[in-house]
Amino acid sequence: MRRLPLVRRAARMVPATRLGLRDVIDEAVAGMLARPGRAALTVLGTLLGVAAFVTVLGLTTTVEGQISNRFTALVATEVLVQDTSDQPDAGTAFPDDAEQRLTALNGVRSAGLFWEVTDPGPLAARRPTVQEPGENLKVLAASPGYLRAIHARLTSGRIFDRWHDAEHQRVVVLGSGAAGRLGITWIDEQPAVFIGGTPFAVIGIIDDVDREAGTLLSAVVPAGTAEAAWGAGTGTRALIDTEIGAAQQVGDEAPLALRPEDPHRFRTVTPPDPRELREGVTTDLGTLFLALAAVCLLIGAVGIANTTLVAVLERVGEIGLRRALGARRRHVAAHFLAESGTLGLIGGLIGTSVGVAAVVAVAYLREWTPILQPATVLPAPLVGALTGLVAGLYPAWRATRIEPADALRR
């Protein structure tokens, strides 16, 4: 019979110890307190990972909420009616009272016709310092309801009304981009612009719009004035601003309201189902941000694994002594797993707090409504603890492979 080394035989003679949960926690805490600086740096890695996890998921939910609100407020309330006639000489299919017919529909807040004037001539300002025509600026003919439908906000002046339209008044409302290009910033001096050599009084300057952003680079004239000056327009469309939830119904009723005898001359463009768009945006953003959060957690796990492995190598003698005094492999593994799991849990708790604070801060600065899902915040500390446990598996396994005799020889 082969004789075992003295230390190994002594270990066999010592009865097995029972290691309770409290003992494991006490040893883990003692191990961390023995090296507070290293423990703090290790916690910092997990803290950053969990904070990034909570932050990116919280910001994803918050951004989705903003997208949803903006979609509901703008896109879901917009209906576009187009003339599908293939005969250019047949004239527009829209009747003269098209705006009144559309605004009479239930759920319509405002509606107006518009088209781009083809070849109106050069657009220039009256001031001698700006004599060049406005390049890349277009002339847009529109009924008064169009400016209300795009939610035009004015820097100064006013928009034209039905009287200007019916009396063919030579007035124009400039978008902010067009006004800047023409050198007109205010209307107190009663400025005018020349379109094809014909003077038009500037009565308002649009600062911003919610729809049809091209209007900001346009000179908008009343539809009646445009017809009198340049003839009936081609490509006429109607823009309808509806109440929330009424877009589909208005889109179905608009052709009948315009031409009950021939509604097929029109094609309506209604917004898609907001739930489908929201789900698509949610999926895309969620996948991207989850990948970023996973990378952050991986970095934190590598930090814990590296620190725990170094601790195992530094405490080979201690591990050997424990084994010689009766500790089993599972006891040694439990000790290091408890230490790494506790580090991960501490990092997870602090990281969750930091992540929540970051989401609230960003939402406050952007004037958003912070949205945090309980399914994201509540499990985050457990994610940190799980990350620590997974990171401590290999170091714990290395610790269990240390033989008492070899350890005590060092």
Side-chain angles (χ1 to χ4, degrees):
M1 178 178 176
R2 185 169 59 90
R3 299 181 61 184
L4 296 174
L6 180 60
V7 175
R8 185 175 300 181
R9 282 187 292 156
R12 290 284 183 89
M13 296 174 61
V14 176
T17 59
R18 293 185 178 181
L19 193 64
L21 178 60
R22 182 174 179 179
D23 298 326
V24 172
I25 295 176
D26 289 343
E27 290 182 359
V29 173
M32 290 186 296
L33 294 179
R35 302 168 180 82
R38 179 183 299 174
L41 292 176
T42 305
V43 168
L44 180 61
T46 311
L47 184 155
L48 295 176
V50 175
F53 180 81
V54 174
T55 301
V56 295
L57 292 183
L59 288 179
T60 300
T61 308
T62 302
V63 171
E64 288 167 5
Q66 305 310 310
I67 293 174
S68 175
N69 292 338
R70 185 168 180 81
F71 175 83
T72 301
L74 295 177
V75 181
T77 59
E78 178 180 327
V79 176
L80 192 66
V81 183
Q82 299 174 337
D83 183 359
T84 60
S85 175
D86 297 330
Q87 301 177 2
D89 299 333
T92 179
F94 289 94
D96 295 337
D97 60 344
E99 182 174 317
Q100 290 75 18
R101 294 190 184 192
L102 292 175
T103 53
L105 295 176
N106 289 331
V108 175
R109 292 186 290 199
S110 56
L113 305 181
F114 70 102
W115 69 88
E116 184 177 352
V117 178
T118 57
D119 195 21
L123 176 62
R126 182 186 64 179
R127 296 180 179 180
T129 56
V130 184
Q131 294 293 339
E132 295 295 330
E135 298 179 359
N136 301 324
L137 302 181
K138 60 184 180 181
V139 177
L140 198 66
S143 64
Y146 169 79
L147 295 177
R148 292 190 293 270
I150 64 175
H151 301 172
R153 296 180 286 277
L154 299 177
T155 300
S156 62
R158 53 165 296 185
I159 62 174
F160 49 78
D161 54 28
R162 292 184 181 179
W163 180 82
H164 295 99
D165 191 12
E167 296 298 325
H168 304 164
Q169 295 295 304
R170 293 179 180 175
V171 295
V172 62
V173 175
L174 298 177
S176 57
R181 294 282 297 276
L182 296 171
I184 299 174
T185 58
W186 208 252
I187 64 169
D188 290 350
E189 300 177 359
Q190 298 180 345
V193 296
F194 289 83
I195 305 177
T198 303
F200 284 77
V202 179
I203 63 172
I205 299 176
I206 301 174
D207 178 53
D208 198 8
V209 297
D210 290 335
R211 299 187 177 100
E212 299 293 334
T215 307
L216 298 178
L217 288 173
S218 305
V220 186
V221 299
T225 305
E227 289 183 0
W230 303 293
T234 58
T236 304
R237 293 172 290 173
L239 181 66
I240 307 174
D241 180 29
T242 73
E243 300 288 347
I244 295 177
Q248 297 293 334
Q249 178 181 343
V250 171
D252 295 336
E253 296 176 353
L256 289 171
L258 292 171
R259 281 194 176 273
E261 76 284 359
D262 190 12
H264 299 291
R265 291 195 62 178
F266 300 100
R267 181 173 69 91
T268 59
V269 180
T270 55
D273 187 352
R275 291 173 297 181
E276 296 179 359
L277 178 62
R278 191 179 302 117
E279 289 174 359
V281 172
T282 300
T283 301
D284 295 340
L285 290 178
T287 301
L288 174 61
F289 287 144
L290 275 177
L292 294 176
V295 171
C296 295
L297 285 178
L298 179 61
I299 295 173
V302 171
I304 292 179
N306 181 64
T307 302
T308 307
L309 183 58
V310 170
V312 170
L313 298 178
E314 289 179 348
R315 298 158 67 179
V316 171
E318 176 187 339
I319 296 171
L321 182 59
R322 287 173 179 266
R323 292 291 309 281
L325 294 177
R328 298 291 185 244
R329 295 181 188 273
R330 63 178 181 274
H331 299 153
V332 176
H335 169 73
F336 286 100
L337 286 176
E339 189 170 327
S340 62
T342 303
L343 289 172
L345 179 61
I346 295 174
L349 289 171
I350 302 176
T352 301
S353 303
V354 172
V356 171
V359 172
V360 174
V362 172
Y364 175 77
L365 293 176
R366 300 291 300 175
E367 297 183 353
W368 292 345
T369 300
I371 302 175
L372 289 166
Q373 297 289 348
T376 299
V377 178
L378 297 181
L382 299 180
V383 171
L386 181 61
T387 302
L389 288 175
V390 173
L393 287 176
Y394 177 70
W397 178 82
R398 284 286 302 270
T400 62
R401 310 315 298 172
I402 296 176
E403 293 293 340
D406 297 335
L408 293 177
R409 288 196 191 102
R410 298 185 181 183

